[in-house]
Amino acid sequence: MPTLLLVRHGRSTANTAGVLAGWTPGVDLDGTGRAQAAELPARLAGIPLATVVSSPLERCGQTLEPLLAARPELGPAELDERFGECHYGDWTGRPLGELAKEPLWRTVQDHASAAAFPGGESLRQLSHRTVDAVRDWNDRIAAEHGPDAVWAACSHGDVIKAVVADALGLHLDHFQRISVEPCSVTAIRYTEHRPYLLRLGDTGSLASLAPRTDGPAPSGDAVVGGDTGAPAPAPAS
C-alpha cells in the first residue's frame, strides 16, 4: 500500500496570536509560515509524489503553493474536507489561555475519546473521518499508481495526531502525547498487515526518504517507493 506524507500547514497568524482558529475563514500563514512553506519543495525534492491532497482551509493551500509551483504536474491539489481542521464549535476563535480554564480542557488533554466541543464535533468523530479519508485515498492511489506510490496531504495538528495514533495502535486518549510542529512532515508507510511510522513531525531534510539509486537499503532502513517500504525486523537480542 502507499506511503503518506502528512504535511502540517506552516505557522499561521492564529498560531502566533494563540487563538484556536478551527474553520475560521481568512486565517493566513504569517511571515515565518511563508518562509517554512518556501522551504518545502527542497525538502521534498527527489521524493516521487503521485498526488497532493489538501484541507480546504487557506493556510493549507498557502503552504502548498511553493511546492505546486515547483512541481506543476502535481497541481492543483485535491481538496478533501475530511482533512480539514476539527470543528471546534463554540471554542472557535477563542484564546487558548482562556480555553485552558474551561472544565472541558482537561478532558481534551487527558480523556480525548470523551471530548466533544459544544456546537462542534467530538474528537472521536475527527479521528474517524480522517482515518477513513486516509484509507480511501490509499486505496485510490494504489489502484491508480501502484502499491509503492507516495502521496502527500496537507492538514492540521489534531488531524495529523489522530492519524498517527491510529497508525501506532494508540488509544485516542493518548493522542495528545504526539507533537507535530508547523510545516513538519510525518511519513507513514502502509502495508497489508500494519503501518510503519517512518518520520514524525520532521522539520529538516527528508532526502533519506527518496528511493535509493545505489542498491538496496541497509537492513532496518525504511525507504519510500522501495520493494517493501517497511523496516526489516530488528535482530533478536
Side-chain angles (χ1 to χ4, degrees):
M1 295 179 69
T3 296
L4 167 60
L5 305 184
L6 282 162
V7 181
R8 187 182 174 191
H9 63 78
R11 196 176 79 175
S12 72
T13 54
N15 295 143
T16 308
V19 171
L20 191 65
W23 283 72
T24 303
V27 175
D28 299 323
L29 298 186
D30 67 7
T32 295
R34 291 188 181 278
Q36 291 169 334
E39 296 173 354
L40 194 58
R43 293 171 61 206
L44 295 177
I47 300 177
L49 294 176
T51 304
V52 175
V53 184
S54 179
S55 157
L57 294 172
E58 293 97 328
R59 52 197 184 272
C60 288
Q62 292 166 0
T63 299
L64 291 174
E65 281 176 4
L67 176 64
L68 297 178
R71 298 167 74 169
E73 72 278 5
L74 295 174
E78 300 261 12
L79 301 184
D80 189 333
E81 290 195 356
R82 294 176 297 176
F83 285 106
E85 180 62 283
C86 184
H87 292 278
Y88 293 115
D90 298 344
W91 280 31
T92 302
R94 293 176 61 188
L96 294 173
E98 177 183 297
L99 292 172
K101 301 173 185 177
E102 295 277 356
L104 179 60
W105 182 267
R106 287 267 42 101
T107 304
V108 171
Q109 301 303 315
D110 300 333
H111 191 17
S113 62
F117 297 98
E121 68 181 332
S122 69
L123 288 173
R124 295 190 313 279
Q125 290 170 318
L126 168 73
S127 176
H128 291 157
R129 68 169 163 90
T130 56
V131 171
D132 282 349
V134 168
R135 290 173 178 165
D136 288 347
W137 278 100
N138 274 343
D139 290 342
R140 174 176 166 179
I141 290 166
E144 295 178 2
H145 301 280
D148 291 327
V150 184
W151 62 289
C154 189
S155 190
H156 307 268
D158 281 349
V159 172
I160 295 170
K161 287 154 56 177
V163 173
V164 170
D166 173 78
L168 292 177
L170 291 178
H171 195 282
L172 186 61
D173 287 347
H174 300 317
F175 100 127
Q176 296 288 21
R177 301 182 183 188
I178 299 165
S179 176
V180 289
E181 294 298 310
C183 220
S184 64
V185 175
T186 294
I188 304 172
R189 170 65 173 168
Y190 288 86
T191 73
E192 182 179 354
H193 300 293
R194 66 180 66 86
Y196 292 89
L197 182 64
L198 308 182
R199 294 288 186 281
L200 175 62
D202 196 321
T203 57
S205 171
L206 298 162
S208 63
L209 288 177
R212 297 179 67 91
T213 59
D214 57 350
S219 176
D221 235 4
V223 181
V224 301
D227 292 336
T228 64
S237 57

